[in-house]
Amino acid sequence: MNARAVMVLGTTSGAGKSWLATALCRWYARQGLRVAPFKAQNMSNNARVVPGLDGHLGEIGSAQYFQALAARVRPDVRMNPVLLKPEQDTASQVIVMGQVHDELRCVPWRERSNHVWPHARQALDELMATHDVVVIEGAGSPAEINLHASDYVNMRTALHAQAQCLLVTDIDRGGAFAHLYGTHQLLPAHERALIKGFVLNRFRGDASLLAPGPEQLQALTGVPTLAVLPMWRGHGLPEEDGVFDDRATGPSSPSNGADRVLRIAVLAYPRISNLDEFQPLRAAPGVRLVWARHPRDLDGADWVILPGSKHTTADLAWLRAQGLDCAVIDHAQRGGAVLGICGGLQMLGRTLSDPEGVEGQAGAVIEGLGLLNLHTRFDAHKLLRETHAVFTDLALNPDDNAADPWRALAGVRVQGYEIHHGRTYATNAHTLLTPDAKPTDTTHPILLDADGQPLGWRQGRVLGLYLHGLFEDDAAMRALFGAQAPSLNRVMDGLADYIDQHFAPGALAELIQAP
């Protein structure tokens, strides 16, 4: 293994591992080094389509996708060889090297490591043989003593790569020094020896008030505190797990000469997936983004977005239990804009059928929200695609473009990705646009792939798409908002600048020096 490995461990989930690993990828890449990210196992319903083995496409967690972009390399399945996508509180889909392995779903947690660690180890070895630096992200905490014997994601990976480890903690939660000391002390001595520095993340206040804490901690452990990272909410990188920061973002009233604020409500159902694609909306000009869990959260919304779902029928049942189904239908009937993406598109249709029991009972037929004349059938085969598509020119009223929220997308070419089991079909007579068709009372294809096949449909102001990544596409953002959010490249450079400013001088370079 030629590469040097730098690993980011955390005292808890949500401590800032993904954020810091992404920043490290860009920092080392800017030193002219060949850099690759790696996480042996991720648990997330935020996934991306990337090149896999033998020419097939596969899935990895979104965090490693963004880390690869930060490293300026093309993402591939080796960077996240095992991905768990939760479907229920006690069950997850198991993806190994980008492909679903249903036979591992029922393997007990502790026994599963023996099956998947060889794949992870080989992927890590290949990356280390072809790069100068591999930035590794751990999972949860390395000191879960009940799981330590079967945990291959943290210290087993660190030992195999002989990684120089940083241990990061969220000081905003309180108890940071205890978290760092306790995590360090619960590790066996040979594993503790790999921890080269502590990082205090999300600090608010005067850093001088931390003294003499870091000095005392170093006296107890022999490990220095290499960085105190101030709280930075607007760094622009999507959160990895769930709606972690679900505060409303954006202005509540017009400013900077804007005519008005566009209020967008994203439904935050329990099994929401690929929510990271909405990060650009947080920085879009004149947009206020809110996450909706109750009907009252839709009050005053201009757009309502139904995002992707790892379990469409379960999340549709949740919508009905919350009364959000009626709230969405009422919003559409009052002329509000509705956008459904992937699972959200499927919910907007009239019916969903599951002949093979992909999401539950085989043969089940479920009623959708009925806002689009579509039927979805779940297929056992999951479709993965990197997609290029174009919007057709279908206006509600050519003389009143201001009233049509989707008119600006006409003719726009976009690229994104697809991950879905569903196959969706129009159920009305007008499956193609005809001169006498009325866009307000019939469902029409509006987004076509390179082969001319529909990936999106609209009826009135209701739009449903299978394409993920609409708001990450510069052309779509310019069409919809007149200006684009900061590019991902600018975001990555900002992360690298930030850690360069706040880490001890020379510390990052020292981590990759030969022993």
Side-chain angles (χ1 to χ4, degrees), residues 142-469:
E144 303 287 0
I145 55 178
N146 57 315
L147 299 174
H148 188 270
S150 58
D151 178 9
Y152 68 96
V153 188
N154 290 297
M155 300 316 296
R156 189 182 300 180
T157 291
L159 289 167
H160 184 74
Q162 283 300 291
Q164 306 295 286
C165 297
L166 298 172
L167 182 60
V168 60
T169 192
D170 180 0
I171 196 170
D172 194 51
R173 297 185 182 187
F177 292 118
H179 283 160
L180 291 169
Y181 178 75
T183 302
H184 182 271
Q185 291 299 298
L186 283 173
L187 296 175
H190 68 291
E191 296 180 359
R192 289 201 301 266
L194 296 179
I195 297 181
K196 303 303 180 181
F198 296 139
V199 177
L200 297 170
N201 189 29
R202 302 193 184 107
F203 179 73
R204 292 190 281 187
D206 182 355
S208 67
L209 298 178
L210 291 171
E215 294 77 13
Q216 292 179 336
L217 185 62
Q218 184 171 356
L220 290 168
T221 64
V223 179
T225 296
L226 295 182
V228 177
L229 303 177
M231 177 71 77
W232 186 16
R233 296 187 185 278
H235 51 69
L237 192 68
E239 295 291 347
E240 180 184 15
D241 300 315
V243 187
F244 180 79
D245 181 7
D246 60 359
R247 299 168 305 144
T249 59
S252 57
S253 58
S255 61
N256 299 326
D259 295 331
R260 62 186 299 274
V261 172
L262 182 71
R263 293 173 171 82
I264 300 178
V266 180
L267 302 189
Y269 19 80
R271 295 165 184 84
I272 187 172
S273 68
N274 298 84
L275 66 94
D276 50 310
E277 65 182 304
F278 303 114
Q279 176 68 27
L281 293 179
R282 292 172 172 255
V287 170
R288 182 167 176 80
L289 184 69
V290 300
W291 300 98
R293 295 187 177 88
H294 305 283
R296 63 178 178 271
D297 296 331
L298 302 191
D299 293 346
D302 299 296
W303 295 7
V304 172
I305 298 179
L306 285 71
S309 168
K310 188 60 187 73
H311 202 296
T312 303
T313 55
D315 279 339
L316 180 56
W318 179 86
L319 286 186
R320 291 194 163 106
Q322 304 302 312
L324 276 163
D325 57 333
C326 295
V328 172
I329 293 171
D330 182 63
H331 173 83
Q333 291 176 341
R334 286 186 287 104
V338 177
L339 170 63
I341 299 176
C342 198
L345 155 70
Q346 296 165 356
M347 295 181 197
L348 292 174
R350 293 198 174 278
T351 53
L352 304 91
S353 64
D354 193 0
E356 300 185 59
V358 173
E359 291 210 348
Q361 180 181 356
V365 178
I366 298 165
E367 183 178 352
L369 300 182
L371 293 175
L372 293 173
N373 292 317
L374 302 173
H375 169 70
T376 295
R377 175 181 56 81
F378 292 108
D379 191 279
H381 172 70
K382 180 188 289 190
L383 176 65
L384 303 176
R385 280 208 301 178
E386 295 174 316
T387 304
H388 293 262
V390 61
F391 283 95
T392 63
D393 188 0
L394 178 59
L396 280 179
N397 183 346
D399 299 322
D400 188 13
N401 290 343
D404 183 353
W406 313 122
R407 180 68 179 85
L409 291 171
V412 173
R413 295 185 178 276
V414 294
Q415 60 182 1
Y417 59 100
E418 297 173 64
I419 306 177
H420 53 92
H421 283 278
R423 306 293 188 266
T424 297
Y425 311 93
T427 59
N428 56 43
H430 299 286
T431 56
L432 296 175
L433 180 60
T434 59
D436 58 345
K438 296 180 180 180
T440 55
D441 59 14
T442 251
T443 297
H444 297 278
I446 190 174
L447 182 67
L448 305 178
D449 68 11
D451 296 322
Q453 296 302 307
L455 297 178
W457 296 262
R458 75 171 291 180
Q459 180 168 331
R461 292 176 174 83
V462 179
L463 172 65
L465 308 174
Y466 263 123
L467 184 79
H468 288 286

Side-chain angles (χ1 to χ4, degrees), residues 36-40 60 64 68 73-81 127:
F38 179 80
K39 185 168 184 174
I60 63 171
Q64 282 63 63
V73 296
R74 190 177 187 193
D76 70 57
V77 296
R78 297 173 301 171
M79 296 168 183
N80 176 208
L127 292 175

